[in-house]
């Protein structure tokens, strides 16, 4: 895709955090952006307004993408509204961090449902359209934790590792339709997810592990998504690490 102009993008969980930065980056390039949210209605609507003030077309759409019917409805509503879909960014994610000794079965299921199964639900719903259109870009937000594991994150690590396997398989199956599928593995990025970690843990236990000596910004992830979409026509099935060197 040489330009974002006129394209339609869906970013799941785009009211805040990485999703918000990704939505802003795609909109600034000229994409019409669907800002999906689950609970963050106000932030999502505020983002849509902010983008409109800058002359960008965006719309907020509520859907809990961990629910297969809602995920499917989201994609259906996008197609009904815009008549096309070019870019699907599966960004929605949660974490419930506990050692396995303390982790409840429901907490395992919940994280896998939101972080991994949702990716399948949206892709499955968008598949017929992408195949018919013979073009499309799918980007799944995984994590370095899916590559290296992390103490107290068995559920999250499993879901994020699953995204990488899913991405490669989807890339193989969709290549014949000119649809690329890639994963991004961020390292620690400054969002609400990281804000839940106590400051002393960030300073004493996290920062010393990052060769570049700082956490990433949501904008750095947004730019990578734009790169994969605009300049990545020959990139598929890949995992792009944006992590300050914490995992090589
Ligand atoms: P965040 O600030 O906690 O935001 C999470 C986002 O996911 C919110 O927009 C939330 O929307 C959305 N979401 C959660 N459950 C959802 C559902 N069922 N349906 C739709 N949206 C849902 O987290 P973040 O740091 O931006 O994380 C974004 C993605 O990056 C996640 O997949 C995360 O695992 C990944 N990641 C983050 C980091 C990091 O250090 N921050 C590192 C590696 C990977 P609502 O508020 O509307 O519920």
């Amino acid at each position: 895709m040489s330009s974002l102009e006129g394209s339609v993008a869906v970013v799941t969980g785009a009211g805040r955090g990485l999703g918000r930065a990704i939505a802003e980056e795609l909109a600034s390039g000229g994409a019409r952006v669907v800002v999906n949210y689950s609970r963050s209605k106000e932030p999502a609507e505020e983002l849509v307004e902010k983008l409109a003030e800058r002359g960008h077309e965006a719309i907020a759409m509520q859907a809990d993408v961990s629910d297969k019917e809602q995920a499917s409805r989201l994609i259906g509503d996008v197609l009904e509204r815009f008549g096309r879909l070019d870019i699907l960014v599966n960004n929605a994610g949660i974490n419930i961090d506990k050692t396995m000794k303390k982790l409840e079965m429901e907490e395992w299921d919940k994280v896998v449902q939101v972080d991994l199964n949702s990716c399948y639900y949206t892709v499955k719903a968008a598949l017929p359209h992408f195949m018919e259109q013979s073009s499309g870009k799918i980007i799944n937000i995984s994590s370095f934790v899916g590559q290296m594991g992390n103490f107290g994150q068995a559920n999250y690590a499993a879901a994020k590792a699953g995204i990488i396997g899913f991405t490669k398989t989807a890339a193989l199956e969709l290549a014949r339709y000119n649809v690329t599928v890639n994963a991004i593995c961020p390292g620690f990025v400054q969002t609400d997810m990281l804000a839940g970690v106590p400051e002393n843990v960030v300073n004493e236990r996290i920062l010393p592990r990052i060769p570049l000596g700082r956490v990433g910004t949501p904008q750095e992830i947004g730019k990578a998504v734009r790169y994969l979409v605009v300049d990545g026509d020959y990139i598929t099935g890949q995992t792009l690490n944006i992590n300050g060197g914490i995992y090589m």
Side-chain angles (χ1 to χ4, degrees):
M1 188 185 291
S2 56
S3 160
L4 288 168
E5 215 60 58
S7 64
V8 175
V10 175
V11 183
T12 66
R16 36 191 197 96
L18 296 190
R20 187 181 177 97
I22 293 165
E24 285 196 77
E25 183 68 33
L26 294 175
S28 74
R32 292 172 283 170
V33 178
V34 176
V35 177
N36 160 251
Y37 66 94
S38 167
R39 289 155 302 167
S40 298
K41 185 173 196 279
E42 272 182 29
E45 288 176 347
E46 184 259 318
L47 174 60
V48 167
E49 263 177 44
K50 182 173 150 184
L51 293 174
E53 277 163 19
R54 295 184 195 158
H56 306 309
E57 192 179 339
I59 180 171
M61 285 192 185
Q62 197 280 334
D64 171 352
V65 290
S66 71
D67 177 291
K68 37 174 111 61
E69 273 84 35
Q70 293 188 42
S72 178
R73 179 193 28 88
L74 170 68
I75 300 299
D77 287 350
V78 172
L79 291 171
E80 199 180 305
R81 161 98 191 203
F82 294 101
R84 61 181 301 122
L85 170 60
D86 304 281
I87 303 153
L88 170 60
V89 183
N90 283 311
N91 162 81
I94 59 166
N95 60 317
I96 304 173
D97 299 346
K98 290 177 187 176
T99 56
M100 282 191 284
K101 210 165 76 178
K102 295 182 185 154
L103 190 70
E104 303 289 345
M105 297 289 188
E106 298 72 37
E107 294 169 333
W108 169 278
D109 289 346
K110 175 81 181 159
V111 169
V112 171
Q113 191 65 23
V114 175
D115 292 13
L116 176 61
N117 293 354
S118 65
C119 297
Y120 175 63
Y121 298 155
T122 56
V123 169
K124 176 79 173 164
L127 212 58
H129 168 75
F130 280 139
M131 286 160 66
E132 200 188 321
Q133 190 177 269
S134 282
S135 68
K137 305 274 186 219
I138 300 171
I139 293 165
N140 300 316
I141 306 298
S142 176
S143 167
F144 76 105
V145 170
Q147 298 168 303
M148 64 184 283
N150 200 23
F151 193 91
Q153 289 199 303
N155 49 0
Y156 186 78
K160 294 299 183 180
I163 286 181
I164 297 173
F166 171 63
T167 297
K168 292 179 181 182
T169 302
L172 280 173
E173 293 187 10
L174 296 181
R176 73 193 63 180
Y177 304 104
N178 190 34
V179 176
T180 65
V181 191
N182 292 289
I184 289 180
C185 285
F188 289 104
V189 182
Q190 197 60 62
T191 66
D192 292 344
M193 196 175 265
L194 188 62
V197 180
E199 203 180 322
N200 67 315
V201 175
V202 173
N203 290 335
E204 291 161 28
R205 307 238 301 265
I206 293 180
L207 289 181
R209 289 167 58 201
I210 306 172
L212 285 179
R214 65 172 179 87
V215 300
T217 66
Q219 290 70 29
E220 285 170 320
I221 309 304
K223 282 189 185 128
V225 169
R226 184 169 175 170
Y227 162 71
L228 285 174
V229 171
V230 176
D231 295 312
D233 285 350
Y234 201 53
I235 303 175
T236 198
Q238 302 304 310
T239 301
L240 180 54
N241 299 335
I242 308 172
N243 63 22
I246 195 168
Y247 175 81
M248 298 183 185

Tab-separated table of all heavy atoms in Angstrom, residues 206-233:
chain	number	residue	atom	x	y	z
A	206	ILE	N	13.269	-3.087	36.137
A	206	ILE	CA	12.955	-3.114	34.700
A	206	ILE	C	13.998	-2.333	33.901
A	206	ILE	O	14.631	-2.881	32.988
A	206	ILE	CB	11.519	-2.585	34.442
A	206	ILE	CG1	10.510	-3.577	35.036
A	206	ILE	CG2	11.270	-2.367	32.952
A	206	ILE	CD1	9.051	-3.201	34.876
A	207	LEU	N	14.194	-1.084	34.226
A	207	LEU	CA	15.114	-0.248	33.426
A	207	LEU	C	16.521	-0.855	33.294
A	207	LEU	O	17.094	-0.819	32.192
A	207	LEU	CB	15.180	1.175	33.988
A	207	LEU	CG	13.917	2.027	33.780
A	207	LEU	CD1	14.100	3.432	34.349
A	207	LEU	CD2	13.516	2.105	32.314
A	208	PRO	N	17.092	-1.424	34.370
A	208	PRO	CA	18.438	-1.994	34.222
A	208	PRO	C	18.512	-3.147	33.205
A	208	PRO	O	19.593	-3.466	32.713
A	208	PRO	CB	18.772	-2.504	35.632
A	208	PRO	CG	17.885	-1.727	36.546
A	208	PRO	CD	16.630	-1.471	35.765
A	209	ARG	N	17.341	-3.749	32.883
A	209	ARG	CA	17.346	-4.872	31.920
A	209	ARG	C	17.241	-4.394	30.476
A	209	ARG	O	17.353	-5.183	29.539
A	209	ARG	CB	16.151	-5.789	32.198
A	209	ARG	CG	16.275	-6.597	33.481
A	209	ARG	CD	14.941	-7.231	33.855
A	209	ARG	NE	14.409	-8.106	32.806
A	209	ARG	CZ	13.119	-8.443	32.697
A	209	ARG	NH1	12.228	-7.953	33.549
A	209	ARG	NH2	12.714	-9.236	31.730
A	210	ILE	N	16.969	-3.094	30.284
A	210	ILE	CA	16.744	-2.593	28.917
A	210	ILE	C	18.018	-1.926	28.402
A	210	ILE	O	18.423	-0.874	28.919
A	210	ILE	CB	15.570	-1.576	28.876
A	210	ILE	CG1	14.315	-2.191	29.509
A	210	ILE	CG2	15.304	-1.115	27.441
A	210	ILE	CD1	13.159	-1.216	29.687
A	211	PRO	N	18.687	-2.521	27.405
A	211	PRO	CA	19.946	-1.936	26.908
A	211	PRO	C	19.837	-0.457	26.550
A	211	PRO	O	20.758	0.307	26.828
A	211	PRO	CB	20.265	-2.800	25.684
A	211	PRO	CG	19.687	-4.130	26.042
A	211	PRO	CD	18.400	-3.820	26.778
A	212	LEU	N	18.726	-0.023	25.977
A	212	LEU	CA	18.605	1.405	25.629
A	212	LEU	C	18.248	2.275	26.837
A	212	LEU	O	18.157	3.501	26.719
A	212	LEU	CB	17.593	1.614	24.498
A	212	LEU	CG	18.090	1.215	23.103
A	212	LEU	CD1	16.997	1.436	22.054
A	212	LEU	CD2	19.336	1.994	22.699
A	213	GLY	N	18.025	1.649	27.981
A	213	GLY	CA	17.914	2.383	29.241
A	213	GLY	C	16.627	3.171	29.448
A	213	GLY	O	16.563	4.016	30.341
A	214	ARG	N	15.604	2.901	28.660
A	214	ARG	CA	14.318	3.594	28.846
A	214	ARG	C	13.199	2.711	28.324
A	214	ARG	O	13.456	1.770	27.552
A	214	ARG	CB	14.317	4.942	28.085
A	214	ARG	CG	14.396	4.800	26.583
A	214	ARG	CD	14.199	6.130	25.858
A	214	ARG	NE	14.310	5.974	24.412
A	214	ARG	CZ	13.314	5.640	23.601
A	214	ARG	NH1	12.112	5.391	24.073
A	214	ARG	NH2	13.505	5.539	22.298
A	215	VAL	N	11.975	3.036	28.736
A	215	VAL	CA	10.834	2.318	28.167
A	215	VAL	C	10.452	2.999	26.849
A	215	VAL	O	10.866	4.134	26.576
A	215	VAL	CB	9.626	2.276	29.139
A	215	VAL	CG1	9.991	1.574	30.431
A	215	VAL	CG2	9.084	3.669	29.413
A	216	GLY	N	9.666	2.298	26.053
A	216	GLY	CA	9.271	2.851	24.752
A	216	GLY	C	8.071	3.774	24.883
A	216	GLY	O	7.399	3.815	25.919
A	217	THR	N	7.792	4.509	23.820
A	217	THR	CA	6.601	5.366	23.797
A	217	THR	C	5.552	4.714	22.886
A	217	THR	O	5.895	4.005	21.931
A	217	THR	CB	6.925	6.773	23.240
A	217	THR	OG1	7.278	6.628	21.849
A	217	THR	CG2	8.078	7.420	23.986
A	218	PRO	N	4.270	4.973	23.157
A	218	PRO	CA	3.221	4.439	22.285
A	218	PRO	C	3.418	4.886	20.829
A	218	PRO	O	3.136	4.139	19.897
A	218	PRO	CB	1.943	5.034	22.883
A	218	PRO	CG	2.271	5.278	24.318
A	218	PRO	CD	3.718	5.668	24.347
A	219	GLN	N	3.942	6.109	20.653
A	219	GLN	CA	4.145	6.632	19.293
A	219	GLN	C	5.163	5.779	18.518
A	219	GLN	O	5.053	5.635	17.301
A	219	GLN	CB	4.621	8.091	19.342
A	219	GLN	CG	3.561	9.084	19.801
A	219	GLN	CD	3.211	8.963	21.289
A	219	GLN	OE1	4.032	8.562	22.110
A	219	GLN	NE2	1.980	9.303	21.638
A	220	GLU	N	6.143	5.238	19.234
A	220	GLU	CA	7.135	4.397	18.544
A	220	GLU	C	6.493	3.128	17.989
A	220	GLU	O	6.901	2.624	16.947
A	220	GLU	CB	8.301	4.079	19.503
A	220	GLU	CG	9.208	5.295	19.679
A	220	GLU	CD	10.246	5.153	20.786
A	220	GLU	OE1	9.926	4.599	21.858
A	220	GLU	OE2	11.379	5.616	20.594
A	221	ILE	N	5.474	2.633	18.676
A	221	ILE	CA	4.757	1.451	18.171
A	221	ILE	C	3.851	1.888	16.999
A	221	ILE	O	3.751	1.199	15.979
A	221	ILE	CB	3.923	0.786	19.294
A	221	ILE	CG1	4.785	0.529	20.538
A	221	ILE	CG2	3.278	-0.500	18.776
A	221	ILE	CD1	6.021	-0.299	20.329
A	222	GLY	N	3.224	3.044	17.149
A	222	GLY	CA	2.359	3.555	16.072
A	222	GLY	C	3.129	3.701	14.758
A	222	GLY	O	2.636	3.329	13.689
A	223	LYS	N	4.334	4.217	14.854
A	223	LYS	CA	5.149	4.415	13.641
A	223	LYS	C	5.496	3.084	12.976
A	223	LYS	O	5.569	2.978	11.747
A	223	LYS	CB	6.441	5.151	13.993
A	223	LYS	CG	6.207	6.639	14.191
A	223	LYS	CD	7.528	7.366	14.327
A	223	LYS	CE	7.286	8.821	14.655
A	223	LYS	NZ	8.023	9.288	15.815
A	224	ALA	N	5.729	2.064	13.800
A	224	ALA	CA	6.068	0.742	13.243
A	224	ALA	C	4.867	0.152	12.509
A	224	ALA	O	5.023	-0.477	11.457
A	224	ALA	CB	6.516	-0.183	14.370
A	225	VAL	N	3.678	0.375	13.064
A	225	VAL	CA	2.468	-0.111	12.393
A	225	VAL	C	2.348	0.583	11.029
A	225	VAL	O	2.103	-0.056	10.003
A	225	VAL	CB	1.211	0.151	13.260
A	225	VAL	CG1	-0.063	-0.102	12.451
A	225	VAL	CG2	1.239	-0.719	14.513
A	226	ARG	N	2.564	1.882	11.026
A	226	ARG	CA	2.464	2.634	9.761
A	226	ARG	C	3.481	2.124	8.745
A	226	ARG	O	3.176	1.983	7.561
A	226	ARG	CB	2.689	4.120	10.031
A	226	ARG	CG	2.511	4.984	8.801
A	226	ARG	CD	2.493	6.429	9.207
A	226	ARG	NE	2.442	7.338	8.083
A	226	ARG	CZ	2.230	8.649	8.211
A	226	ARG	NH1	2.038	9.171	9.401
A	226	ARG	NH2	2.205	9.428	7.164
A	227	TYR	N	4.689	1.841	9.233
A	227	TYR	CA	5.732	1.306	8.351
A	227	TYR	C	5.285	-0.018	7.719
A	227	TYR	O	5.380	-0.205	6.500
A	227	TYR	CB	7.040	1.119	9.141
A	227	TYR	CG	8.019	0.192	8.472
A	227	TYR	CD1	8.691	0.584	7.310
A	227	TYR	CD2	8.253	-1.085	8.975
A	227	TYR	CE1	9.573	-0.282	6.675
A	227	TYR	CE2	9.138	-1.949	8.342
A	227	TYR	CZ	9.789	-1.549	7.194
A	227	TYR	OH	10.649	-2.411	6.561
A	228	LEU	N	4.774	-0.926	8.554
A	228	LEU	CA	4.348	-2.232	8.020
A	228	LEU	C	3.221	-2.076	7.006
A	228	LEU	O	3.155	-2.803	6.017
A	228	LEU	CB	3.904	-3.156	9.161
A	228	LEU	CG	5.033	-3.748	10.021
A	228	LEU	CD1	4.464	-4.512	11.206
A	228	LEU	CD2	5.948	-4.650	9.201
A	229	VAL	N	2.351	-1.114	7.259
A	229	VAL	CA	1.203	-0.929	6.358
A	229	VAL	C	1.640	-0.252	5.055
A	229	VAL	O	1.314	-0.717	3.961
A	229	VAL	CB	0.100	-0.096	7.053
A	229	VAL	CG1	-0.981	0.284	6.062
A	229	VAL	CG2	-0.496	-0.868	8.218
A	230	VAL	N	2.403	0.810	5.177
A	230	VAL	CA	2.704	1.625	3.987
A	230	VAL	C	3.893	1.060	3.190
A	230	VAL	O	3.856	1.030	1.963
A	230	VAL	CB	2.992	3.091	4.397
A	230	VAL	CG1	3.400	3.918	3.188
A	230	VAL	CG2	1.765	3.690	5.045
A	231	ASP	N	4.912	0.618	3.888
A	231	ASP	CA	6.133	0.173	3.199
A	231	ASP	C	6.375	-1.332	3.287
A	231	ASP	O	7.434	-1.815	2.910
A	231	ASP	CB	7.356	0.897	3.789
A	231	ASP	CG	7.290	2.393	3.530
A	231	ASP	OD1	7.020	2.779	2.379
A	231	ASP	OD2	7.470	3.165	4.489
A	232	GLY	N	5.376	-2.043	3.807
A	232	GLY	CA	5.621	-3.456	4.102
A	232	GLY	C	4.965	-4.445	3.163
A	232	GLY	O	4.657	-5.565	3.575
A	233	ASP	N	4.788	-4.081	1.906
A	233	ASP	CA	4.082	-4.993	0.996
A	233	ASP	C	4.773	-6.360	0.853
A	233	ASP	O	4.113	-7.353	0.555
A	233	ASP	CB	3.959	-4.359	-0.401
A	233	ASP	CG	2.893	-3.274	-0.428
A	233	ASP	OD1	2.142	-3.163	0.564
A	233	ASP	OD2	2.820	-2.525	-1.423
